[in-house]
Amino acid sequence: MFGYVVINKPELKFREFDEYRGFYCGLCHSLKQRYGIIGQLTLNYDLTFLAIVLTALYEEKTIKVNRRCIIHPLHKMVQYENKYIDYCADMTILLSYYKCLDDISDERSFSATMESKLLKNAFARVSEKYPDKKEFVEKQLLLNQKLEEENCHDIDSLANLTGKIMACLFNYQDDEWSKYLKDMGFYLGKFIYLMDAYEDVEKDVRNKQFNIFKDKYQSDSFDDDTKELLMMMIAKCTNVFEILPILQYHGILINVLYSGVWTKLEMIRQRKEKANERSL
């Protein structure tokens, strides 16, 4: 479910990449400070993107700190700090915990079981701080589970649930930008759901697990049809993004929405092609 909203590094300016890394490392540090090493293990690109969107939109003053870390012990790395990065750290914990529960339900995953136990206290803290978001996300996931148990074939019905979850997370506060942030998160969430289903379809079919594409993936037009769906979601997301008065970090956000997400899709397609060649 995570890791699809990424940058296309070669297309970023050096300054932009340094800024992006400042947010990524800042989110990592926030997770460690708030939830320990287990928090750091939940770090992902998707919530880094949200941290940049919120910081840019609300023009939040950001502190830049040089620190060493376990990954970079020899050289100090720039890490950004602000309230939106901390908020995204909390939301990372919320999503990661529920992802563990989903993996346990679908795959009886031992690693997910262990991770969920380690995240339990952190999840409880986030739930206490954001009870409305916790309840909303849980409701959508329960609806998702119900539809999967009913073997639902309606792509929109299922993708919309992930869309609603991301819309909830994108809406940091109720103000004049709420509608736009919700819409942006909604379409990005649908994109994430479809990408995840596309990447995992062969594995899910092999393991007899639910996947919305299980009846379509062997079609000759499957890749092209899926890309068309994905392009539709990103187009709607970027249309909303362009309405927002975002100037700071604009190049990074444009890179993600217009280029980065497609590099991830191409990586998945190439991996699928290599797997098919080995099976011949």
Side-chain angles (χ1 to χ4, degrees):
M1 183 178 174
F2 296 131
Y4 298 113
V5 188
V6 300
I7 57 169
N8 182 359
K9 183 179 176 181
E11 296 299 321
L12 278 179
K13 298 175 182 177
F14 288 114
R15 173 183 56 80
E16 291 172 335
F17 177 69
D18 288 342
E19 290 173 337
Y20 180 82
R21 188 167 56 185
F23 276 100
Y24 185 75
C25 292
L27 181 57
C28 181
H29 179 74
S30 180
L31 284 163
K32 180 184 178 183
Q33 287 296 103
R34 298 160 85 81
Y35 305 110
I37 293 176
I38 184 61
Q40 283 182 290
L41 296 177
T42 66
L43 177 66
N44 68 80
Y45 296 111
D46 302 353
L47 274 296
T48 301
F49 176 78
L50 176 56
I52 301 174
V53 169
L54 294 175
T55 299
L57 176 62
Y58 292 110
E59 300 180 341
E60 175 70 6
K61 182 178 180 181
T62 299
I63 299 172
K64 301 179 183 179
V65 182
N66 293 300
R67 293 191 184 94
R68 291 186 176 90
C69 65
I70 294 176
I71 304 300
H72 305 101
L74 300 180
H75 302 286
K76 290 184 177 180
M77 305 297 291
V78 176
Q79 299 175 357
Y80 289 2
E81 295 181 355
N82 66 40
K83 65 181 182 181
Y84 299 115
I85 293 172
D86 289 341
Y87 166 75
C88 288
D90 292 340
M91 295 303 101
T92 299
I93 295 295
L94 185 69
L95 289 184
S96 297
Y97 183 78
Y98 280 119
K99 183 181 185 302
C100 288
L101 297 187
D102 186 56
D103 289 345
I104 294 168
S105 174
D106 290 347
E107 306 171 14
R108 301 182 184 276
S109 169
F110 176 75
S111 61
T113 300
M114 295 304 298
E115 185 177 351
S116 68
K117 291 180 179 179
L118 293 171
L119 284 173
K120 189 174 182 179
N121 289 337
F123 171 74
R125 288 168 55 194
V126 173
S127 298
E128 184 176 356
K129 187 175 181 179
Y130 300 98
D132 293 343
K133 291 189 184 295
K134 180 259 183 185
E135 290 175 12
F136 184 85
V137 171
E138 189 170 288
K139 179 180 178 181
Q140 306 313 306
L141 292 173
L142 288 173
L143 288 172
N144 181 83
Q145 183 179 355
K146 181 175 182 293
L147 289 177
E148 288 186 1
E149 290 173 352
E150 294 172 352
N151 201 29
C152 176
H153 291 277
D154 187 340
I155 292 177
D156 267 344
S157 293
L158 282 155
N160 283 352
L161 298 176
T162 303
K164 289 178 181 179
I165 289 173
M166 293 303 290
C168 176
L169 269 54
F170 265 64
N171 185 37
Y172 175 79
Q173 60 191 25
D174 291 329
D175 58 19
E176 69 269 32
W177 305 119
S178 290
K179 177 187 182 305
Y180 303 104
L181 287 170
K182 286 179 181 178
D183 286 348
M184 189 177 171
F186 177 73
Y187 292 116
L188 193 61
K190 292 187 70 170
F191 173 87
I192 290 170
Y193 177 86
L194 295 170
M195 279 281 281
D196 186 57
Y198 173 71
E199 181 175 21
D200 290 346
V201 61
E202 288 88 357
K203 175 176 71 71
D204 288 341
V205 170
R206 188 168 58 251
N207 295 333
K208 297 182 179 180
Q209 295 170 356
F210 179 88
N211 190 295
I212 194 64
F213 292 134
K214 66 180 180 180
D215 296 328
K216 306 176 185 294
Y217 80 105
Q218 291 182 318
S219 167
D220 292 338
S221 63
F222 174 61
D223 285 350
D224 292 336
D225 291 345
T226 303
K227 185 172 183 179
E228 186 174 339
L229 278 174
L230 293 168
M231 290 178 67
M232 189 185 307
M233 295 305 105
I234 286 297
K236 291 183 177 181
C237 179
T238 52
N239 285 343
V240 178
F241 168 74
E242 295 291 0
I243 296 173
L244 297 173
I246 289 178
L247 298 177
Q248 194 175 23
Y249 311 121
H250 189 267
I252 300 172
L253 299 172
I254 287 294
N255 175 278
V256 172
L257 293 174
Y258 286 90
S259 180
V261 293
W262 304 121
T263 62
K264 184 67 175 181
L265 176 63
E266 186 57 30
M267 288 172 58
I268 294 171
R269 293 182 70 162
Q270 289 180 7
R271 189 165 64 245
K272 286 175 177 283
E273 288 177 2
K274 289 180 181 178
N276 290 335
E277 289 173 1
R278 288 196 298 268
S279 65
L280 294 177

